[in-house]
Amino acid sequence: MQLHISPSMRSITISSSNEFIDLMKIKVAARHISYRTLFHTILILAFVLPFVFILTALVTLEGVNKCSSIDCLGRRLGPRLLGRVDDSERLARDFYKILNEVSTQEIPDGLKLPNSFSQLVSDMKNNHYDAKTFALVLRAMMEKFERDIRESKFAELMNKHFAASSIPKGIHCLSLRLTDEYSSNAHARRQLPSPEFLPVLSDNAYHHFILSTDNILAASVVVSSTVQSSSKPEKIVFHIITDKKTYAGMHSWFALNSVAPAIVEVKGVHQFDWLTRENVPVLEAVESHNGVRNYYHGNHVAGANLTETTPQTFASKLQSRSPKYISLLNHLRIYIPELFPNLDKVVFLDDDIVVQGDLSPLWDIDLGGKVNGAVETCRGEDEWVMSKRLKNYFNFSHPLIAKHLDPQECAWAYGMNVFDLQTWRKTNIRETYHSWLRQNLKSNLTMWKLGTLPPALIAFKGHVHVIDSSWHMLGLGYQNKTNLENVKKAAVIHYNGQSKPWLEIGFEHLRPFWTKYVNYSNDFIKNCHILE
């Protein structure tokens, strides 16, 4: 193929290569197109035509739908510029319109819904659904599945609450067998501690720990882990307080399982003359206030609007309704200065902790004239566990709460606390605690719901000295994603939350930090099949 331009540049001829056949002849009028314009046009064509040829080849090789060339872009944009849309886009647009219509439409009563996607497809084929019917059935199916999931989640939370509130069979067996041992074995009834060590119980040269619990197995782990982790076990004195029904079993355990050189004292609440209704308003409140008992022991679902409550909120409310929060043993910590009038400084431990480090340095901490040495819970790596401020515990829509408290104020942890009892006795902490407790009872528990920490947060306000967070790591009873490296480094780890390590609902990867201090060779542990 050849291109011929006449000398006068008034005609252009495109002919075959043998020059016998003229394929195209163009005559150009001088008055319409200038030579310069024609020349520029020819130059442009010379560059464009080969490019078009290459693009055409690419389109042919790649296919229209898969190609990425400019020509493909043109083929895709062309219909839009011309006002035309391909079938797939039109179908999607029509389906969106139908979905919008169906979203506001009432779902007919008695509409039979498929149980699975495959059944839905089968029904579509058999019943010849139109697009609107398909969209309506699909919406009804999704809403049903959402309801089922929510109901299952709430049922799971209820079951977990009952599991956390109940006493495992093995631990109940342990208590019964040890109680029976107390009545039949004189060695199980021996005096704790031995008479020669009685003066040590009030000697402030020793490190005094206080533990209030009715869980014998948990108490054994707290004491064993503390003694084994201490650099000065001979200076440790444990004061264990339990209720009347557990006293015999608790005494038997520590009488038969020595933790020497540490010293253990076991006392029941019935052995403290100071614990009377006149001195402990909590006793009367728990026994006489119907609202309290109904709240903690009643139907936890009744009155709860599950359609508007999130599972997380419901779980939090369930946790706050644990019966342990109305137990006198849980409130006893506020009476420590009166229960141990000869002691100056003590460390209080919860029964769901494990001690992994030497706690002796706690007695060397200068509390700076404060009463309570505690870890703050509003800052730390774990944003879920360490993000607790007063707004997390109190109802700030209540006028008294809003007037006296700052919702953004940092909370602190109960469970491992250093108490300066000398300074405490000079304050009105106990009276403040009682006063706010009465106010909450009068308001029908509308100021706070969660046990003993809220009134303590108020009563100890201005009396807390913040200690380093490495002393006390929280959340192992409700944070499944706890950092294991941080767990290993913490001096005290706290299984606060529902998933206690002695329960089947405890987190398996966190349980070994606790079970390593359980004596599985003990006959009572073996015979009761603890955590088999």
Side-chain angles (χ1 to χ4, degrees), residues 474-493:
L474 299 106
L476 277 73
Y478 67 88
Q479 169 60 299
N480 188 28
K481 298 179 181 178
T482 302
N483 186 302
L484 293 182
E485 290 304 316
N486 291 341
V487 173
K488 295 173 184 177
K489 297 174 185 176
V492 171
I493 54 175

Side-chain angles (χ1 to χ4, degrees), residues 189-402:
R189 295 193 302 273
R190 71 180 179 87
Q191 185 174 344
L192 284 178
S194 300
E196 64 269 24
F197 293 115
L198 287 177
V200 173
L201 298 180
S202 56
D203 188 342
N204 285 295
Y206 285 78
H207 298 157
H208 294 268
F209 292 91
I210 295 175
L211 174 63
S212 177
T213 180
D214 60 355
N215 188 326
I216 299 171
L217 184 65
S220 73
V221 169
V222 174
V223 174
S224 296
S225 64
T226 304
V227 173
Q228 291 181 38
S229 301
S230 175
S231 63
K232 303 174 182 177
E234 69 281 357
K235 295 195 68 176
I236 290 177
V237 179
F238 258 98
H239 304 269
I240 300 174
I241 307 173
T242 190
D243 56 20
K244 190 173 184 178
K245 73 178 189 306
T246 314
Y247 170 76
M250 188 76 74
H251 190 283
S252 293
W253 177 266
F254 287 102
L256 298 173
N257 298 278
S258 174
V259 290
I263 295 169
V264 176
E265 174 193 33
V266 177
K267 295 194 74 172
V269 291
H270 58 288
Q271 295 174 318
F272 287 97
D273 295 334
W274 187 86
L275 289 176
T276 64
R277 284 176 174 77
E278 293 74 26
N279 291 327
V280 187
V282 174
L283 284 173
E284 185 178 359
V286 169
E287 292 175 358
S288 64
H289 197 284
N290 290 330
V292 172
R293 300 200 68 80
N294 288 337
Y295 178 78
Y296 287 100
H297 293 287
N299 188 334
H300 299 336
V301 178
N305 189 348
L306 300 185
T307 58
E308 297 181 3
T309 302
T310 65
Q312 186 175 359
T313 302
F314 186 65
S316 177
K317 289 181 178 179
L318 283 179
Q319 186 175 343
S320 72
R321 296 177 78 158
S322 171
K324 74 174 186 178
Y325 291 125
I326 59 174
S327 165
L328 176 60
L329 291 175
N330 204 41
H331 288 272
L332 270 182
R333 67 194 82 188
I334 203 69
Y335 307 116
I336 289 175
E338 289 74 27
L339 298 180
F340 300 94
N342 298 317
L343 297 182
D344 296 338
K345 196 172 189 179
V346 300
V347 169
F348 178 86
L349 298 175
D350 266 349
D351 65 357
D352 53 356
I353 66 102
V354 172
V355 177
Q356 302 185 131
D358 181 20
L359 299 187
S360 302
L362 290 176
W363 271 264
D364 299 326
I365 293 177
D366 181 5
L367 297 182
K370 305 292 185 181
V371 172
N372 179 5
V375 168
E376 282 187 319
T377 56
C378 67
R379 55 182 65 89
E381 288 184 19
D382 193 330
E383 294 183 0
W384 190 24
V385 175
M386 303 299 286
S387 61
K388 302 297 187 294
R389 300 181 182 272
L390 296 195
K391 64 182 180 180
N392 298 104
Y393 298 98
F394 295 97
N395 174 21
F396 276 88
S397 63
H398 194 287
L400 275 178
I401 296 296

Side-chain angles (χ1 to χ4, degrees), residues 58-59 62-69 71-73 75-76:
L58 286 174
V59 171
E62 294 179 359
V64 175
N65 294 326
K66 296 182 180 180
C67 67
S68 57
S69 59
D71 184 71
C72 293
L73 180 64
R75 292 188 182 211
R76 291 169 184 171

Side-chain angles (χ1 to χ4, degrees), residues 135-153:
L136 190 65
V137 172
L138 188 63
R139 176 193 159 199
M141 283 180 66
M142 292 185 67
E143 290 183 359
K144 178 181 180 297
F145 289 152
E146 287 175 0
R147 288 193 302 269
D148 291 346
I149 291 171
R150 281 180 62 84
E151 289 173 4
S152 297
K153 185 63 178 177

